[in-house]
Amino acid sequence: MELLEKRIISEGSILPGNVIKVGSFLNHQIDVKLLLEMGREVKRLFEGEKITKILTVEASGIAVATAFAAVMDTMVVFAKKHGTSNISGDIICCRTHSYTHNNDYNMVVEKKYLTGQDRILIVDDFLANGQALNSLVDIVRQSDAELVGCAVAIEKGFQHGGDKLRQKGIRVESLAIIDSIENGEIRFRK
Ligand code: 5GP
């Protein structure tokens, strides 16, 4: 999506470990109009698919998911992050690893929010190695709901998490895919 690519080029910065900082429109300050435009593009990409709910993970996925849900007229469920593995009750849980914080945590969703009537679109702001999306896929598979696919704002293609998910037969749509960062220059997949 050209609009998003232009914003990444003009406002993004690259931190050590190829972490991309887009705090001016996505991760700190939020350009809601841009996010709604991105939502319209995701709606177009998934035209013809019935989607009843969007699933994301706190914290940075929530803004993107909420904007997409406003356009697609769905509810949003966000997985909560818990440091403890000592969780019981009607809860679905998946252990995962945070790319940006370099620690392990549990993603937790109350089972009642993912029902047998639900068709789920997983949404996140970034896709790198794919740990977050794989865990969200795992949560959907543990529930009675059906997975439609995943929609991501920015995929870092050079970390191959997206390609591995696609190889497993999961539909992954990313609005901007960065294939390389060399000497500070960002190249997008065309
Ligand atoms: P993965 O689990 O695919 O390795 O990483 C995706 C998760 O880590 C996303 O939920 C996102 O919040 C965070 N993340 C990964 N790479 C980046 C990045 O370059 N910039 C930002 N801001 N977040 C990232």
Side-chain angles (χ1 to χ4, degrees), residues 37 108 135 142 175 190:
E37 196 57 44
V108 181
S135 298
Q142 288 184 60
L175 298 177
K190 291 295 165 203

Side-chain angles (χ1 to χ4, degrees), residues 18-22 27 57 60-61 96-100 124-133 156 159 161:
N18 279 338
V19 170
I20 298 161
K21 196 173 168 210
V22 282
N27 287 144
V57 56
S60 57
T96 192
H97 182 80
S98 165
Y99 178 80
T100 39
D124 207 359
D125 58 342
F126 273 89
L127 166 55
N129 295 320
Q131 305 256 19
L133 286 198
K156 296 193 289 180
Q159 289 183 244

Side-chain angles (χ1 to χ4, degrees), residues 106-117:
N106 286 325
M107 273 189 197
V108 181
V109 173
E110 279 195 45
K111 209 170 178 196
K112 66 180 179 191
Y113 295 126
L114 302 176
T115 73
Q117 279 77 53

